[in-house]
Amino acid sequence: MNVFFEEDGNFKVATIKEEQAASLMLEDTRGKRFKVKAANVLLRFERISLDDFLKAAQAAADEIDIDFLWECCGAEEFAFNDIAAEYFGANPSVQQQAAALIRLHAAPMYFYRKGRGHYKAAPEDNLKAALAGLEKKKKEAEQMAIWQAELQAGALPESFIPLVSKLLHRPDKNTLEWKTLAAASDAMQTSPLRLMEKIGAIPDVGAYLLDGFLAESFPKGRGFAPTEPVSCPADLPVADVQAFSIDDSTTTEIDDAFSLKRLPNGNWQVGIHIAAPALGIAAGSDVDKIILDRLSTVYMPGDKITMLPNEVVEVFTLQEGKTCPALSMYLELSLGFDVLSHRSVVEMVPIAANLRHEQLEPVFNENTAGKEGAPDFPWKEEITFLWHFAGALEGRRGKADPSVPLKIDYSFYIDDMDGAKRVRIVPRKRGAPMDKLVAELMILANSTWGKDLMQGQVAGIYRGQNGGRVRLTTQAGPHIGLGVECYSWASSPLRRAVDYVNQLQLLALLGNTKPRFQKNDAELYSIIGSFDTAYAAYAELQDKMERYWCLRWLQQENKREITAVVIKENLVRVDGMPLVIRAGIPELPAGTTVSLQVMKIDLLELLLETRMATI
């Protein structure tokens, strides 16, 4: 006696060897014996071989019209042998019964299983919906096959074009487009990113890198929604000074300027003038919200994303030829550059000049500053005086050490040459006269204003370092790296939210009004946390884009061999640019200069592969 039974969701046949009330010992066509429950047996048959039975049952099942079979069923639950009688006629053969069962079991959209050998026809609406879904999946599979063929042939499907940025940076892995891209990548044994590069979907790697940052940090776009107009107070006194700024030529948010004036008592008055957007931006206004959302201007070679809309910047930037609202700090200096006193005022400051690094560098540098016979240039007397003052400030901080070599900073300029971008990387010594002048006066202003907030018991945001890393805090404390006992950020309110917040607090202190932020204010801690996160992301983008343009420069100049200095182990710094790479070199002392052959430049991964040329 043979049986047709179900096991693990599959139908099988075997011969009975032993039979008990609850179980049977069976033997399959290979001679293997096993036990099954009697309840699993659905049909018994004789005089038909096991293989012939299954083949005949499957063949009959394949010929069953599933739609007609469904129409044969009523709304009630039924057994497979009953529907076999309806479909094949009275007294269906055991093979026909098995065929009906196999067909029922293979059509779960048409028939819901209700128990072993029992089913119920799906309601008509449910069946229509299921069939529509099946048809949709079929069409989707056909479409995906067409797209995949295009991708593997090196073409970008037309419907992918508006989705390129999303596919590259924030893909929805449930979409057909991503599934197709992933399948094509697997078939070609590459990554989706490399496949997109290969088919030309990343024509500009720099734009690709920037788009990835924007997708993460500026998901609503880098532009600004319309905001209400801002204005500066009309009743501020006008300062009796002529101020000038010193900035890079690409600077549009001019935060700081300086002035110098001889006092009647023979001493000198140095003015440090900081743009004052906090005077004209209301708490909770659209612009205020933008500041606390963006938190900082984002810098990168050849581009930047400003913290404030241009129309707001234009109101408060210290623009040449304008009289601008400012928070000014006036220092009275002795002839020996001792700071005798300081005072802070809110006023309108006449800006006589916006000096640029490119103009000053040739005539005011480490070879000419303070030297006899140095060339003349506009504002030479004031700049030279402030440079001497900066040197005195550096010495008092304990940071003046002429034996320490100056570190090199680099400025990137991206030129458009008939539609093609070319990069210039210009080195500038950190601590050179021009940099020292500006840096020391900013350190003085920020440390002094930090003390003012502390002594006035007004909450502020400080940058502290006491044996560890530099961090933002609401507690005034030393900054060991700078050599000052207290340090705030307040000198760049057009470019950093922390400086804007501190300016708000300083204005309250000067006006003897209630500060916007109180000590232990939860919003103040929230601003610090958000700023730290955003500032780190912005700095990471700047580093990434500088690395990209360094590699572009090597390509642009067709460099086949470069020199570098060993930092440690196989880590080297390429000469003439801020590019650090891992090179295939033997172990050499730090500071060793090596010559490297350029083997491969990978802009997408920002990698430079080299090998040792000579030592």
Side-chain angles (χ1 to χ4, degrees):
M1 177 66 69
N2 299 324
V3 292
F4 177 75
F5 64 98
E6 182 182 356
E7 185 178 58
D8 299 328
N10 296 312
F11 297 117
K12 301 178 181 179
V13 290
T15 300
I16 298 174
K17 292 300 180 181
E18 296 181 19
E19 184 171 1
Q20 297 178 352
S23 63
L24 294 83
M25 179 62 70
L26 303 177
E27 182 178 280
D28 62 17
T29 55
R30 296 172 298 173
K32 180 181 177 182
R33 294 196 175 192
F34 53 93
K35 184 183 291 188
V36 299
K37 294 179 180 179
N40 289 356
V41 174
L42 299 165
L43 293 168
R44 295 173 181 248
F45 61 94
E46 293 181 316
R47 295 186 298 276
I48 307 174
S49 73
L50 299 180
D51 286 341
D52 289 345
F53 181 87
L54 269 183
K55 289 177 181 178
Q58 185 63 59
D62 293 341
E63 294 179 0
I64 292 176
D65 184 335
I66 193 66
D67 292 299
F68 180 66
L69 184 65
W70 177 80
E71 291 174 359
C72 291
C73 304
E76 302 301 321
E77 182 181 320
F78 59 87
F80 74 93
N81 47 0
D82 293 333
I83 196 64
E86 287 287 334
Y87 187 86
F88 291 105
N91 300 316
S93 70
V94 66
Q95 288 164 305
Q96 289 174 327
Q97 293 179 57
L101 181 55
I102 291 171
R103 194 70 173 106
L104 290 167
H105 195 75
M109 287 190 299
Y110 284 83
F111 305 102
Y112 301 155
R113 191 173 184 187
K114 292 298 182 180
R116 200 174 304 279
H118 285 71
Y119 295 85
K120 184 176 182 180
E124 184 175 2
D125 289 345
N126 293 20
L127 178 59
K128 286 182 178 179
L131 291 174
L134 184 64
E135 182 63 22
K136 179 182 177 183
K137 287 183 179 180
K138 179 183 176 182
K139 290 182 178 179
E140 288 175 348
E142 292 172 351
Q143 180 62 75
M144 287 173 64
I146 294 171
W147 285 342
Q148 184 171 339
E150 289 183 68
L151 289 168
Q152 291 181 223
L156 181 69
E158 185 175 350
S159 57
F160 278 47
I161 294 174
L163 301 175
V164 165
S165 181
K166 192 170 184 179
L167 288 169
L168 289 171
H169 302 297
R170 305 189 82 177
D172 180 350
K173 296 188 177 181
N174 292 317
T175 61
L176 297 183
E177 291 82 3
W178 173 260
K179 291 178 180 178
T180 304
L181 179 60
S185 301
D186 288 343
M188 299 177 70
Q189 297 183 332
T190 188
S191 67
L193 179 61
R194 288 298 182 186
L195 176 53
M196 292 290 273
E197 179 192 33
K198 183 177 181 180
I199 63 176
I202 310 177
D204 185 336
V205 175
Y208 157 75
L209 296 172
L210 177 57
D211 286 347
F213 165 79
L214 294 175
E216 188 65 31
S217 297
F218 289 81
K220 296 180 181 179
R222 60 185 288 176
F224 295 92
T227 61
E228 70 277 20
V230 297
S231 60
C232 60
D235 56 350
L236 296 177
V238 177
D240 183 21
V241 298
Q242 291 293 303
F244 61 92
S245 64
I246 302 174
D247 292 284
D248 186 271
S249 61
T250 60
T251 301
T252 55
E253 307 144 287
I254 303 175
D255 286 294
D256 53 82
F258 312 105
S259 64
L260 182 66
K261 185 177 181 180
R262 193 70 180 259
L263 296 174
N265 63 4
N267 291 332
W268 290 93
Q269 173 185 279
V270 171
I272 302 174
H273 311 284
I274 305 300
L279 287 172
I281 298 173
S285 65
D286 290 343
V287 177
D288 183 71
K289 291 175 182 176
I290 287 172
I291 292 173
L292 299 182
D293 177 52
R294 294 205 170 195
L295 296 161
S296 172
T297 289
V298 185
Y299 295 97
M300 69 202 86
D303 194 6
K304 66 180 177 180
I305 304 171
T306 59
M307 181 178 74
L308 286 166
N310 286 337
E311 57 268 24
V312 176
V313 171
E314 288 171 2
V315 173
F316 298 105
T317 187
L318 303 182
Q319 180 67 45
E320 177 179 311
K322 294 174 59 179
T323 300
C324 305
L327 174 57
S328 298
M329 176 183 293
Y330 289 106
L331 308 160
E332 183 177 351
L333 305 187
S334 70
L335 298 182
F337 299 111
D338 293 317
V339 179
L340 303 178
S341 65
H342 83 276
R343 61 188 176 90
S344 298
V345 296
V346 179
E347 59 187 1
M348 301 294 289
V349 176
I351 306 299
N354 291 145
L355 305 180
R356 300 300 184 177
H357 290 168
E358 295 81 354
Q359 299 168 337
L360 288 177
E361 183 67 33
V363 293
F364 182 65
N365 51 58
E366 58 268 27
N367 297 320
T368 63
K371 302 290 178 61
E372 290 286 340
D376 287 330
F377 55 90
W379 303 88
K380 178 181 178 180
E381 181 180 350
E382 291 84 353
I383 288 173
T384 302
F385 180 95
L386 293 178
W387 172 68
H388 284 298
F389 178 40
L393 291 173
E394 183 183 45
R396 290 166 193 163
R397 291 192 299 111
K399 300 300 176 181
D401 186 351
S403 66
V404 176
L406 297 179
K407 294 183 178 180
I408 303 296
D409 283 333
Y410 296 89
S411 297
F412 288 76
Y413 300 95
I414 312 302
D415 302 320
D416 192 332
M417 308 291 287
D418 297 325
K421 293 180 179 179
R422 292 184 63 85
V423 57
R424 289 181 290 123
I425 304 174
V426 180
R428 191 175 74 242
K429 291 181 179 179
R430 189 188 305 175
M434 188 165 45
D435 283 350
K436 180 186 292 188
L437 186 160
V438 176
E440 288 298 332
L441 292 182
M442 292 303 100
I443 291 171
L444 177 60
N446 285 322
S447 60
T448 303
W449 273 327
K451 288 180 189 176
D452 290 345
L453 288 173
M454 176 184 64
Q455 293 169 357
Q457 297 186 344
V458 173
I461 299 176
Y462 300 87
R463 282 177 67 79
Q465 183 189 31
N466 193 7
R469 66 180 182 86
V470 179
R471 64 188 185 91
L472 292 177
T473 173
T474 59
Q475 301 299 315
H479 192 304
I480 302 301
L482 292 177
V484 294
E485 60 184 270
C486 178
Y487 189 70
S488 69
W489 256 352
S491 57
S492 296
L494 295 177
R495 295 181 281 178
R496 286 190 304 238
V498 168
D499 302 58
Y500 167 75
V501 167
N502 280 334
Q503 187 173 91
L504 288 170
Q505 301 298 90
L506 285 164
L507 293 177
L509 177 64
L510 294 175
N512 197 27
T513 59
K514 182 180 179 181
R516 175 171 170 181
F517 302 99
Q518 306 302 312
K519 289 188 175 181
N520 299 318
D521 193 321
E523 187 177 1
L524 207 56
Y525 290 110
S526 175
I527 291 170
I528 289 174
S530 298
F531 182 87
D532 278 338
T533 301
Y535 209 62
Y538 299 172
E540 182 182 356
L541 172 73
Q542 184 173 3
D543 290 345
K544 184 180 291 185
M545 296 306 292
E546 287 185 357
R547 188 175 183 88
Y548 166 76
W549 284 108
C550 286
L551 297 177
R552 275 284 300 267
W553 185 87
L554 293 174
Q555 287 185 334
Q556 167 188 301
E557 302 300 319
N558 196 27
K559 289 291 183 179
R560 294 287 181 259
E561 191 167 309
I562 57 176
T563 57
V565 176
V566 177
I567 299 173
K568 62 176 182 179
E569 299 173 348
N570 66 341
L571 199 65
V572 302
R573 180 178 289 106
V574 178
D575 288 341
M577 61 183 64
L579 179 62
V580 174
I581 63 169
R582 297 214 174 259
I585 60 174
E587 187 172 344
L588 296 168
T592 302
T593 297
V594 295
S595 183
L596 303 171
Q597 290 183 349
V598 176
M599 306 303 296
K600 179 182 178 182
I601 295 175
D602 186 338
L603 295 179
L604 203 57
E605 298 290 344
L606 298 178
L607 294 176
L608 172 62
E609 294 183 12
T610 63
R611 70 181 180 188
M612 191 81 165
T614 58
I615 299 178

